[in-house]
Amino acid sequence: MSAREQFVVHPIGVVRSTLRTTADAPNQAYEGAPDALIELEPAYADALHRVETGDELIVLTWLHLADRGTLQTHPMGDESIPLTGVFRTRSPDRPNPIGVHRVTVTGLEGATTVRVDALEAIDGTPVIDLKVALRRSRDA
Amino acid sequence: MSAREQFVVHPIGVVRSTLRTTADAPNQAYEGAPDALIELEPAYADALHRVETGDELIVLTWLHLADRGTLQTHPMGDESIPLTGVFRTRSPDRPNPIGVHRVTVTGLEGATTVRVDALEAIDGTPVIDLKVALRRSRDA
């Protein structure tokens, strides 16, 4: 691997949420995140084929407001926890700021909009992938 | 969101594995994947601080051999399963070919090498992020 190697990610869609700022967003989905919509670009409609209400999906987001230079942080912003490498945290601030969210599909609207339960990403967050969750491995 | 928006991912490291080709690799880790090493770039050593044996981590990889133009596939290569949108599969072939793998840390070697249990990515696969797994949400 060359240190200069890099890859280009193209958003497949965007999160629509009542969460408007990171100050509003819980650290984790189980801490009270609201339902949200995932609006896909029309070019990716075929990649949703057979997605149904009740499916459990992994949503990958690009945490566009993150600081990519952060290597250590106090988890959950709690300064009583020692500084910890970001690879042992869920901090959005990390070299490649990709969010991993497990959701349940609660409905489909048209060909490209997926309604999901608790999602802690703010309105306007780019979505970069969806995958089915693996029950057997507890995922993911 | 502009359809032209894009993001650049810089690998943080690489997978070292006895799996040499995708033909050797199981579809999922629980189907017999071997232990593997994650060799990080030295620049990211500080981001591993406090990672320990026994930690459960989410590893994100860049599936560099994938076909990014695939939108539908037969899951698990099984043609008896109807064509399915890739967003409802774990196929490596997808618009942004990011792999999500849940692993347990089985040891640390030096400042930048992490040994993990069952990982179905082949030798040389770029690693783009590590995160702690969330027990409460079953992750991820």
Side-chain angles (χ1 to χ4, degrees):
Chain A
M1 183 181 65
S2 158
R4 286 183 215 88
E5 188 179 21
Q6 60 183 37
F7 308 111
V8 175
V9 169
H10 303 277
I12 60 167
V14 66
V15 172
R16 292 298 171 209
S17 173
T18 56
L19 296 173
R20 299 296 177 177
T21 70
T22 54
D24 295 335
N27 283 317
Q28 308 302 339
Y30 56 73
E31 296 173 333
D35 289 7
L37 297 177
I38 296 171
E39 290 183 356
L40 294 191
E41 296 284 334
Y44 299 110
D46 285 349
L48 275 184
H49 182 55
R50 299 186 74 213
V51 170
E52 298 173 355
T53 298
D55 283 352
E56 292 189 55
L57 298 181
I58 304 297
V59 179
L60 302 187
T61 56
W62 188 266
L63 303 167
H64 57 305
L65 303 181
D67 174 5
R68 302 183 67 169
T70 299
L71 295 181
Q72 297 190 349
T73 187
H74 296 286
M76 296 165 283
D78 180 348
E79 296 197 1
S80 73
I81 303 176
L83 272 177
T84 301
V86 293
F87 295 156
R88 198 186 192 241
T89 78
R90 299 292 283 218
S91 171
D93 299 324
R94 54 183 55 250
N96 293 307
I98 297 170
V100 177
H101 320 265
R102 184 166 177 149
V103 301
T104 301
V105 175
T106 57
L108 293 157
E109 300 179 8
T112 54
T113 299
V114 184
R115 182 176 292 279
V116 302
D117 71 344
L119 181 63
E120 74 276 24
I122 67 170
D123 188 66
T125 301
V127 176
I128 62 174
D129 199 12
L130 304 176
K131 300 176 187 294
V132 73
L134 297 177
R135 288 159 201 264
R136 180 161 169 183
S137 72
R138 297 159 305 160
D139 227 340
Chain B
M1 183 182 68
S2 157
R4 287 182 215 86
E5 188 180 23
Q6 60 184 37
F7 308 111
V8 175
V9 169
H10 302 277
I12 60 166
V14 66
V15 172
R16 292 298 173 206
S17 173
T18 56
L19 295 173
R20 298 296 176 177
T21 71
T22 54
D24 294 335
N27 283 317
Q28 309 303 338
Y30 56 73
E31 296 175 332
D35 289 8
L37 297 177
I38 295 171
E39 290 184 356
L40 293 192
E41 296 284 332
Y44 299 110
D46 286 349
L48 275 183
H49 182 55
R50 298 187 74 213
V51 171
E52 298 172 353
T53 298
D55 283 352
E56 291 190 55
L57 299 180
I58 305 297
V59 179
L60 301 187
T61 56
W62 188 266
L63 302 168
H64 57 305
L65 303 182
D67 173 6
R68 302 182 67 169
T70 299
L71 296 182
Q72 298 191 349
T73 187
H74 295 286
M76 296 166 285
D78 180 348
E79 296 196 3
S80 74
I81 303 175
L83 272 176
T84 302
V86 293
F87 296 155
R88 199 186 190 242
T89 78
R90 301 292 283 217
S91 171
D93 299 324
R94 53 183 58 247
N96 293 306
I98 297 171
V100 177
H101 320 266
R102 185 166 176 150
V103 300
T104 302
V105 175
T106 56
L108 293 155
E109 300 178 8
T112 53
T113 299
V114 183
R115 182 177 292 278
V116 302
D117 71 345
L119 181 64
E120 74 276 22
I122 66 169
D123 188 66
T125 300
V127 176
I128 63 175
D129 198 14
L130 304 176
K131 302 176 185 294
V132 74
L134 298 176
R135 287 159 201 262
R136 180 161 168 185
S137 73
R138 300 157 306 160
D139 226 343

